[in-house]
């Protein structure tokens, strides 16, 4: 019997990326002054800046929605790929923000782009975008799609309580003062080499109540009081410190890689102290990080997409990046990607 070589294993990869930032910038000092005026609270000077390391963030203007930012980023990604909207057969809107409860925001994005793809939403807090990329990859490897566009549009600045009633309410919503707005998009398609090489996840759902925006679902369908982010930032950080390194250690062990093997490490960024703590716990060299949080704040699931857009062109074919997603719920996700 003659030897028959096996078919090459199919691969899917990110071939283009785009991002979009709102025009309007809001400094932490200006945000703090607004909160102090609206609430009557006396707050320590530069509290927000010093506690978070966030100097400013971008905020979506009136009439700019999650879909608006996603569409702008999508157009840039498609242009970079040399593609048109009709070249897509899967469109995933993967975001913690959305335009409305129903229909899926993916349909709003699709209508504005003029595409005719299978369109759906994926939501998993700040891990939404990486989850969306993984879903697109899985659909391509399963033969269900040939080319996908994964987009996110994040407007968490609209979940910030600008007029807390008292100090307790200010503290309960403090993590929300880190938020900024942004959009990102990637094209995912079959590639001959490189691509997404490894994906791993770890989920600790017993911590789902630590932080979030409770309004808009069946528990609290109405009432402005539920539309603001609330949560204990210290508790969130504690949970991530406790469980967050295990999946990274597992990924490095399974792939046989160390930090020298990655040209860049793109990690979801909440605050400067948290990013510094992440580097300390994992040992990732600071020069491999793409630091955006001081100027953009916590842009939720758009964080990794914005970082990737900033370094995509400087990466050479064959160079690898590690994505590290952290999301409320609690979920941690890693993705090893090699530029094709």
């Amino acid at each position: 019997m003659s030897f028959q070589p096996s078919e090459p294993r199919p691969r899917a990869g990110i071939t283009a990326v785009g991002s979009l930032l709102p025009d309007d910038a809001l400094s932490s000092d200006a945000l703090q002054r607004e909160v102090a005026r609206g609430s009557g609270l006396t707050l320590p000077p530069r509290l927000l800046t010093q506690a978070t390391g966030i100097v400013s963030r971008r905020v979506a203007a009136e009439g700019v929605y999650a879909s608006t930012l996603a569409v702008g980023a999508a157009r840039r990604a498609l242009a970079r790929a040399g593609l048109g909207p009709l070249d897509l057969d899967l469109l995933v809107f993967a975001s913690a923000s959305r335009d409305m409860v129903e229909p899926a925001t993916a349909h709003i994005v699709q209508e504005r782009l003029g595409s005719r793809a299978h369109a759906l939403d994926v939501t998993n807090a700040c891990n939404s975008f990486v989850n969306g990329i993984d879903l697109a990859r899985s659909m391509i490897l399963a033969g269900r799609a040939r080319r996908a566009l994964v987009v996110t549009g994040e407007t968490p600045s609209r979940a910030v309580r600008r007029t807390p009633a008292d100090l307790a309410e200010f503290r309960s919503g403090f993590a929300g003062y880190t938020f900024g707005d942004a959009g990102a998009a990637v094209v995912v398609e079959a590639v001959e080499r490189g691509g997404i090489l490894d994906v791993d996840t770890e989920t600790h759902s017993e911590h789902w109540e630590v932080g979030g925006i409770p309004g808009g679902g069946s528990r609290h369908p109405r009432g402005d009081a539920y539309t603001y982010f609330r949560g204990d930032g210290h508790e969130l950080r504690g949970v991530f410190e406790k469980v967050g390194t295990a999946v990274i250690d597992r990924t490095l062990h399974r792939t046989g890689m160390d930090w020298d093997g990655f040209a860049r490490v793109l990690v979801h960024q909440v605050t400067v102290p948290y990013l510094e703590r992440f580097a300390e716990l994992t040992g990732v060299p600071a020069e491999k990080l793409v630091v955006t949080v001081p100027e953009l704040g916590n842009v939720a699931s758009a964080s990794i997409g914005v970082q990737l857009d900033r370094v995509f062109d400087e990466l050479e074919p064959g160079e690898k990046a590690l994505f590290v997603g952290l999301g409320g719920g609690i979920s941690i996700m890693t993705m090893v990607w090699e530029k094709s």
Side-chain angles (χ1 to χ4, degrees):
M1 183 175 65
S2 62
F3 173 74
Q4 297 293 326
S6 61
E7 291 292 325
R9 185 178 179 182
R11 296 171 179 256
I14 298 167
T15 58
V17 60
S19 65
L20 182 68
L21 301 175
D23 293 331
D24 296 340
L26 177 66
S27 71
S28 291
D29 290 346
L31 176 59
Q32 180 171 325
R33 288 194 296 270
E34 182 181 341
V35 171
R37 283 195 307 268
S39 65
L41 295 173
T42 300
L43 302 173
R46 309 205 72 208
L47 170 64
L48 296 184
T49 302
Q50 293 177 355
T52 66
I54 296 168
V55 177
S56 66
R57 76 276 292 132
R58 300 294 184 91
V59 293
E62 185 176 354
V64 175
Y65 310 114
S67 64
T68 312
L69 297 173
V71 168
R75 287 173 174 157
R76 292 180 177 185
L78 289 173
R80 180 177 279 180
L83 299 172
L86 296 179
D87 293 319
L88 305 170
D89 49 18
L90 176 64
L91 190 155
V92 180
F93 179 82
S95 180
S97 304
R98 53 188 174 182
D99 281 20
M100 57 189 67
V101 172
E102 186 184 4
T105 303
H107 296 295
I108 302 172
V109 173
Q110 171 134 284
E111 187 273 334
R112 292 196 59 193
L113 287 177
S115 52
R116 300 290 297 172
H118 176 47
L120 71 155
D121 283 5
V122 169
T123 182
N124 187 22
C126 296
N127 260 338
S128 299
F129 191 59
V130 183
N131 279 130
I133 295 171
D134 187 36
L135 172 64
R137 165 184 174 266
S138 300
M139 293 279 279
I140 290 167
L141 296 184
R144 293 286 311 280
R146 293 174 297 105
R147 183 178 291 122
L149 181 69
V150 182
V151 300
T152 180
E154 292 286 14
T155 56
S157 73
R158 289 181 176 154
V160 175
R161 191 182 286 278
R162 305 290 181 97
T163 57
D166 51 32
L167 192 58
E169 198 166 75
F170 172 75
R171 287 172 174 163
S172 72
F174 189 85
Y177 298 116
T178 67
F179 289 147
D181 302 335
V186 291
V187 174
V188 182
E189 56 188 326
V191 294
E192 293 185 358
R193 64 181 186 276
I196 298 168
L197 306 179
D198 186 86
V199 179
D200 202 352
T201 62
E202 191 159 312
T203 303
H204 297 265
S205 300
E206 65 271 20
H207 300 292
W208 73 267
E209 293 182 283
V210 172
I213 302 171
S218 62
R219 289 178 179 242
H220 305 288
R222 286 172 276 290
D224 285 348
Y226 299 108
T227 62
Y228 300 105
F229 183 90
R230 60 179 70 176
D232 187 328
H234 291 292
E235 188 176 356
L236 278 167
R237 176 171 168 170
V239 172
F240 281 129
E241 286 188 3
K242 180 180 178 181
V243 304
T245 61
V247 65
I248 297 170
D249 295 340
R250 196 165 63 232
T251 297
L252 295 177
H253 178 75
R254 184 176 54 254
T255 60
M257 299 180 67
D258 57 24
W259 294 121
D260 290 339
F262 297 103
R264 290 289 188 173
V265 178
L266 313 182
V267 58
H268 175 60
Q269 297 176 26
V270 179
T271 66
V272 171
Y274 186 86
L275 184 61
E276 292 172 346
R277 182 62 173 156
F278 170 84
E280 179 185 348
L281 289 172
T282 61
V284 59
E287 65 271 14
K288 293 186 181 291
L289 299 171
V290 182
V291 181
T292 58
V293 68
E295 60 172 313
L296 299 181
N298 175 0
V299 292
S301 75
S303 180
I304 288 175
V306 169
Q307 293 172 56
L308 180 61
D309 191 26
R310 294 193 171 187
V311 300
F312 190 86
D313 288 339
E314 71 182 43
L315 292 171
E316 298 291 337
E319 288 191 315
K320 298 178 180 66
L322 175 66
F323 303 170
V324 182
L326 309 169
I330 297 288
S331 68
I332 302 97
M333 190 168 187
T334 60
M335 180 175 287
V336 178
W337 167 72
E338 179 182 319
K339 190 172 184 181
S340 303

